[in-house]
């Protein structure tokens, strides 16, 4: 019992060392306890389905466990897990919807491409849209677009953190955010024109 209590005091990296180097796989339970809720919340926000989120979270933990030896500590363990969660969620959504989602090309964008006043208006509309409608709109955009919006507005990640998580340039993240916000804005305007609001 004291061994279990001692695990709580160890860093993620120390526990990984016990699992990988000392072959104490039962220590993985501590990592599971630390990250299970966070991973479930992220998968649920991506899938909008409780059962899918549970299945996906389970698969993600299997992937994490079987990939622990590949963790090189170039980023924090939390960032590494977030990257796996993001990638597995995208793959899951692509398979489930059977959509062929093309990956957005990385594009260099300059600061003057974005019209700041227009962007502020679009951001404000995102906040003003009813939650139920926003959930509906999120289901109508690509998994990649949904992921960057959720990382930015739900998880409150900065552009650099998003870029590190999904392994693209910061300019590519800015472009994806802009496209995703524009897509939500278009869906909102369409409903507004149909007098749904």
């Amino acid at each position: 019992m004291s061994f279990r209590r001692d695990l709580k005091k160890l860093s993620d990296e120390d526990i990984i060392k016990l699992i990988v180097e000392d072959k104490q796989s039962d220590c993985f339970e501590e990592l599971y306890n630390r990250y299970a809720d966070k991973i479930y919340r992220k998968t649920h926000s991506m899938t909008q389905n409780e059962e899918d989120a549970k299945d996906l979270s389970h698969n993600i933990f299997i992937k994490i466990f079987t990939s622990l030896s590949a963790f090189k500590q170039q980023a924090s363990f939390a960032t590494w897990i977030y990257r796996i969660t993001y990638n597995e969620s995208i793959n899951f959504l692509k398979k489930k919807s059977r959509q062929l989602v093309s990956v957005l090309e990385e594009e260099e964008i300059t600061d003057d491409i974005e019209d700041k006043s227009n962007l502020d208006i679009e951001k404000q509309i995102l906040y003003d849209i009813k939650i139920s409608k926003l959930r509906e709109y999120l289901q109508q955009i690509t998994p990649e677009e949904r992921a960057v919006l959720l990382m930015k507005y739900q998880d409150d990640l900065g552009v650099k953190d998003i870029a590190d998580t999904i392994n693209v340039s910061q300019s590519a993240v800015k472009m994806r955010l802009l496209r995703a916000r524009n897509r939500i804005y278009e869906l909102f305007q369409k409903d507004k024109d149909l007098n749904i609001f």
Side-chain angles (χ1 to χ4, degrees):
M1 198 64 141
S2 63
F3 176 69
R4 287 285 170 228
R5 260 185 257 126
D6 290 343
L7 280 179
K8 292 190 182 309
K9 297 176 184 175
L10 294 178
S11 69
D12 293 342
E13 290 74 16
D14 289 336
I15 294 173
I16 292 166
K17 185 177 177 186
L18 287 173
I19 297 167
V20 174
E21 294 179 15
D22 299 342
K23 307 295 184 214
Q24 295 184 33
S25 57
D26 57 326
C27 296
F28 187 74
E29 183 180 347
E30 178 62 29
L31 293 177
Y32 177 88
N33 291 337
R34 290 180 187 185
Y35 291 99
D37 287 342
K38 292 177 185 175
I39 288 175
Y40 174 78
R41 283 195 304 271
K42 288 184 190 341
T43 57
H44 190 269
S45 67
M46 289 288 288
T47 62
Q48 298 293 308
N49 179 291
E50 189 175 327
E51 288 306 312
D52 286 346
K54 286 179 184 175
D55 291 345
L56 185 52
S57 297
H58 177 73
N59 292 341
I60 287 167
F61 272 107
I62 290 171
K63 176 97 173 183
I64 290 167
F65 181 75
T66 58
S67 303
L68 274 179
S69 59
F71 175 63
K72 302 300 181 202
Q73 300 185 28
Q74 294 168 339
S76 73
F77 184 64
T79 300
W80 187 72
I81 283 179
Y82 197 100
R83 186 175 297 138
I84 290 173
T85 303
Y86 168 82
N87 289 332
E88 291 299 308
S89 297
I90 294 296
N91 290 338
F92 179 86
L93 290 170
K94 284 181 181 178
K95 286 176 189 171
K96 185 169 180 175
S97 63
R98 300 188 191 287
Q99 291 176 341
L100 297 173
V101 181
S102 61
V103 178
L104 296 172
E105 293 178 5
E106 287 188 20
E107 298 178 32
E108 289 301 317
I109 59 171
T110 58
D111 290 338
D112 58 8
I113 283 181
E114 296 181 5
D115 176 354
K116 299 298 184 193
S117 60
N118 212 11
L119 191 57
D120 290 340
I121 291 167
E122 290 171 11
K123 280 183 183 177
Q124 188 58 49
I125 288 172
L126 284 179
Y127 289 117
D128 291 343
I129 296 173
K130 293 179 184 174
I131 293 296
S132 59
K133 274 314 236 184
L134 186 55
R135 284 191 180 124
E136 183 182 314
Y137 296 155
L138 286 171
Q139 294 304 310
Q140 295 178 50
I141 62 178
T142 68
E144 288 87 356
E145 290 170 335
R146 186 180 322 145
V148 293
L149 283 177
L150 290 172
M151 281 188 262
K152 176 72 176 163
Y153 297 106
Q154 177 181 288
D155 300 334
D156 209 22
L157 293 180
V159 170
K160 184 183 183 317
D161 292 329
I162 297 172
D164 290 344
T165 300
I166 63 176
N167 206 22
V168 298
S169 69
Q170 290 184 47
S171 60
V173 170
K174 289 178 187 175
M175 182 57 77
R176 291 182 189 195
L177 282 167
L178 180 63
R179 288 180 181 171
R181 283 192 300 255
N182 285 345
R183 185 75 184 101
I184 295 286
Y185 180 71
E186 287 167 12
L187 292 167
F188 171 72
Q189 287 295 3
K190 184 177 170 187
D191 280 351
K192 197 172 170 191
D193 291 343
L194 294 171
N195 293 320
I196 291 176
F197 282 95

